[in-house]
Amino acid sequence: MLRIDALKVDPLPPLSFSVANGECMAIEGPSGSGKTRLLRAIADLHPAAGHVFLNGAERHEIPAPEWRKRVRYASSEPAWWTATARQAFDLSEKTAQSKLDRLLTAVALTPKSLDAPLSELSTGERQRLALARALIDEPSVLLLDEPASGLDPQTAALVEELIRFQLLAGRSVVFASHDQAQINRLADARLQLAKPLPVRGGQRA
Amino acid sequence: MTTYVPLAYSDLIVAAALVAINGAISFVYGLKLEKTLAIASLRMIVQLAAVALILKFIFAQTSPLWTVLFASVMAVAAGAEIIMRQEHRFAGWRAMLLSSSPAFLAGLLTTFIALAVIQPQPWHAPRILLPLLGMLVGNSLSGVALVLDSMTSAAIRERAQIEARLALGATRFVAFEDILRRSLRTGLMPILNAMAAAGVVSLPGMMTGQILAGIDPVEAAKYQVLIMFLIAGATSVAVLAGALASVWLLTDERHRLRLDRLNAHADARRS
């Protein structure tokens, strides 16, 4: 279970909520309301005061890299540091390749997409590869930022199906979305962030 | 064996006349560099004269405390020089720590190695120690300035890639491995080029000076080889230390990218 206790993400008020295993929470709010920042703070990628517990263990009791293996943030604009997707996957474990094959099938990709230059793939293909990258090592909590942005309705439905499968496997999911229909289909609970963040120096930190 | 030819002040005036030609070119082509040229020339004369007088004073002292004091001034000056060359600078104490320590500590380390080779009496003789230290710190400084600029610029440019790797559970050093490798190459290239070109493209300044001062060219070359290896050693250590320290300062103990510690300075002096 993921439990957030008085997490202070500037300039939102301190937030407290919990997401049970197999539960899906949607974070709603207009652009600039702090959805991304909240997700990043839970993954401990953005400094924030307050506590975040996973199954009773506070994030600071766990080394940060280990925390992020269990509490996984997936950006709405996934970045790649390699020439092909395959190089970004750690396939050293025996079962990794078969897990990857299953994930690719689930999002309607062929193994060919792993070895194609990433620059030649479509935005949607890269988005789905990034989802596979986020899921392959089976984190306990998924923090998905606009998980179906840039996808056509059919592929978006596949991604939603994959998210439901993660919930059935007992993982907690927190996702940020603008899409009311998608929120209605997936979410068990909602968190509404109202006010847009003030824009400082022309750029949101 | 030729002997040392002392320079008269009138000889320097002849050399200064060459700078006047530069000034004339600037004037004719409207480069507006006359003032800069005059200031740079005067600065050089005043700085070298001042340092010569200070060194003369320190060489005459027996207490090593004067040597320590001069070396400390060198460390601060090196740090300030590196900071000036950065487009993205760390705020506060981090800037000074990052910029002065690698070049100075590497210079100090290699100076001690050189002293072990040369074995002057006493070992801390300022006449040997200070010029060596100055040269080694000065040369490592260029490498450190390059590597720091490369690290911070890459961290800003590739922020999304670094954070993607951190989000997947990479440690800060793994997330920075590609950037670190590229920046080390950038920082080490000038000294490698300088070693390869030494004697063919250019006769190094120190060797030229020694030959002009009447030393046998073979002896001068031996010293130059020693110096080049020392400079390469100091630069490598300084560049590596600077790169690792940048990773350490660009991230925090929770392996988060902390670009908020950087300030942008568009007025950075490029060299």
Side-chain angles (χ1 to χ4, degrees), chain A residues 40 44-48 59-69 71-73 79-81 133-134 137, chain B residues 158-172 175 177-178 252-258 260:
Chain A
R40 284 166 48 87
D44 210 3
L45 284 164
H46 183 82
R59 62 188 157 146
H60 290 128
E61 296 165 14
I62 299 170
E66 187 55 37
W67 177 262
R68 293 186 202 120
K69 282 184 192 204
V71 179
R72 171 65 40 77
Y73 170 73
W80 298 86
W81 60 94
R133 187 177 73 181
D137 56 349
Chain B
E158 292 164 43
R159 172 191 181 149
Q161 282 81 359
I162 297 167
E163 293 212 312
R165 300 188 77 170
L166 292 173
L168 290 167
T171 63
R172 46 177 150 174
E177 64 184 1
D178 298 337
D252 63 17
E253 72 292 346
R254 295 296 294 170
H255 301 259
R256 291 181 288 229
L257 186 61
R258 296 299 298 272
D260 54 313

Side-chain angles (χ1 to χ4, degrees), chain B residues 73-86 89 95-101 141 145 269:
Chain B
V73 173
M74 230 184 249
V76 174
E81 179 63 27
I82 292 175
I83 292 175
M84 292 287 286
R85 295 191 198 175
Q86 303 300 309
R89 301 172 197 167
M96 206 57 204
L97 180 80
L98 180 61
S99 47
S100 61
S101 327
L141 186 150
R269 185 144 50 83

Side-chain angles (χ1 to χ4, degrees), chain B residues 7 20-21 67 116 228 262:
Chain B
L7 283 178
I21 298 176
T67 310
M228 286 304 260
L262 288 175

Side-chain angles (χ1 to χ4, degrees), chain A residues 56-194:
Chain A
E58 215 281 328
R59 62 188 157 146
H60 290 128
E61 296 165 14
I62 299 170
E66 187 55 37
W67 177 262
R68 293 186 202 120
K69 282 184 192 204
R70 300 185 207 171
V71 179
R72 171 65 40 77
Y73 170 73
S75 167
S76 58
E77 289 169 6
W80 298 86
W81 60 94
T82 50
T84 68
R86 187 184 292 281
Q87 295 162 326
F89 282 94
D90 174 15
L91 298 173
S92 55
E93 242 183 89
K94 252 193 231 161
T95 53
Q97 184 64 54
S98 61
K99 271 186 209 163
L100 180 56
D101 290 342
R102 259 177 287 151
L103 282 168
L104 292 181
T105 312
V107 290
L109 286 174
T110 59
K112 252 195 239 166
S113 60
L114 283 177
D115 297 304
L118 281 158
S119 53
E120 288 175 15
L121 296 176
S122 72
T123 311
E125 284 168 321
R126 284 197 298 267
Q127 185 86 5
R128 284 176 281 159
L129 281 168
L131 192 60
R133 187 177 73 181
L135 295 177
I136 189 160
D137 56 349
E138 300 176 347
S140 311
V141 176
L142 292 167
L143 307 167
L144 307 175
D145 200 351
E146 307 277 358
S149 68
L151 299 180
D152 60 72
Q154 287 89 345
T155 333
L158 287 175
V159 166
E160 283 178 25
E161 200 46 48
L162 186 58
I163 293 173
R164 272 190 210 99
F165 186 78
Q166 300 303 314
L167 293 167
L168 285 175
R171 296 180 187 123
S172 309
V173 174
V174 182
F175 75 103
S177 181
H178 286 294
D179 183 347
Q180 279 305 321
Q182 185 184 49
I183 292 173
N184 290 337
R185 286 193 297 270
L186 283 173
D188 306 305
R190 294 157 184 249
L191 179 70
Q192 178 77 44
L193 305 181

